[in-house]
Structure formats: C-alpha cells, structure tokens
C-alpha cells in the first residue's frame, strides 16, 4: 500500500530548503534562477499551489495574493481522492508569494490540523468552511 508521501512524489520533486514534505506547482518569488529561465519576475508570483504530505494525509494548498479578498483560511474536503481529499485556500495581502509565505502557511496549517483533526475528519464533503479571518502569511 502506498503512503501519502509516496503519493506526493507522483506530483513532482520535493521542494528543497523547506522542512515540510511538499511539491510546489508554481515558481516562488525568491527563486531567481527559475524565474529568469521562465522570463518571469518576482511580481508575477501572486499564487502558489502545492501538495503537502503530513501525518499520512495528503493536502492540496492554494496560497493566493489578493487585495480584494479578505485574508483568511478556507477548508474543503473533496470526495473520491486518496489520502483525505483535503483542500485549503489561503488568501493573503502579501503581494508576492515566496518561500517565506509557504513556510508561514504550513506552520499554521500543521498546528491547525493537529489541534482540529476531529473537525477535519467530520467536515462535510464539498462544503467550504471559513477556518480563520487572519492573514497567516503576514
């Protein structure tokens, strides 16, 4: 049987220099060489999607820079997905998404998930829940 970590590796290489097991799907504002190769600037990095393996569960996390959306954290459980189907959407007022915002987000989520495991397990499928109205990336 595959683990959440094995499943994570299907999505790409683990992101280096971060103490969490994640695969980031978009370049980050502080990845200068990658941005140059893609002809992008740090200001183009206004969102980040990533997969995160933690405690035998797989989480999909979106971090979105938005000046029009209230900062906060939303959670939704998707059906039919191996290892939980957990989805978090993080809205932030930070203009660029860099490694720092990813780490702050995962620091918050790891604590939140550990303290609210029963809530997450009991959440209704396909229902979006507002978890927090705070900018966890600030």
């Amino acid at each position: 049987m595959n683990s959440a970590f094995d499943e994570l590796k299907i999505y790409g290489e683990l992101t280096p220099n971060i103490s969490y097991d994640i695969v980031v799907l978009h370049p980050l504002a502080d990845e200068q060489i990658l941005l140059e190769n893609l002809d992008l600037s740090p200001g183009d990095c206004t969102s980040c999607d990533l997969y995160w393996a933690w405690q035998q569960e797989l989480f999909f996390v979106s971090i979105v820079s938005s000046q029009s959306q209230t900062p906060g954290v939303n959670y939704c459980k998707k059906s039919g997905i191996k290892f939980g189907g957990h989805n978090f959407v993080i809205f932030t007022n930070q203009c660029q998404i860099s490694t720092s915002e990813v780490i702050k987000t995962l620091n918050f989520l790891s604590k939140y998930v550990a303290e609210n495991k029963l809530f997450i397990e009991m959440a209704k499928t396909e229902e979006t829940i507002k978890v927090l109205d705070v900018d966890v990336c600030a």
Side-chain angles (χ1 to χ4, degrees):
M1 173 183 263
N2 287 346
S3 68
F5 182 76
D6 293 331
E7 188 76 10
L8 173 67
K9 294 188 292 186
I10 292 170
Y11 297 102
E13 292 183 24
L14 293 179
T15 302
N17 305 319
I18 294 181
S19 62
Y20 292 97
D21 294 326
I22 64 170
V23 173
V24 174
L25 304 178
H26 303 286
L28 299 171
D30 54 352
E31 295 180 302
Q32 289 181 318
I33 295 172
L34 179 58
L35 292 175
E36 287 173 11
N37 289 338
L38 296 171
D39 198 27
L40 296 172
S41 70
D44 295 321
C45 302
T46 58
S47 68
C48 173
D49 293 330
L50 61 93
Y51 287 96
W52 170 43
W54 195 70
Q55 293 188 344
Q56 293 306 310
E57 303 268 1
L58 192 62
F59 296 83
F60 182 78
V61 179
S62 291
I63 306 170
V64 180
S65 172
S66 176
Q67 299 305 311
S68 61
Q69 183 79 25
T70 302
V73 179
N74 294 329
Y75 172 77
C76 181
K77 185 188 301 184
K78 301 289 184 176
S79 64
I81 299 175
K82 287 171 68 173
F83 301 104
H86 304 289
N87 290 268
F88 282 98
V89 178
I90 313 301
F91 292 104
T92 179
N93 284 332
Q94 301 300 310
C95 294
Q96 302 171 1
I97 308 301
S98 67
T99 302
S100 174
E101 284 73 38
V102 170
I103 291 170
K104 288 176 188 176
T105 296
L106 295 174
N107 286 343
F108 168 80
L109 290 178
S110 61
K111 183 177 179 184
Y112 177 82
V113 171
E115 292 174 354
N116 295 281
K117 194 153 184 71
L118 183 60
F119 168 78
I120 289 172
E121 289 173 3
M122 301 302 290
K124 292 181 181 177
T125 304
E126 308 299 335
E127 181 181 330
T128 300
I129 300 165
K130 178 64 105 175
V131 170
L132 188 66
D133 280 326
V134 171
D135 192 339
V136 298
C137 296

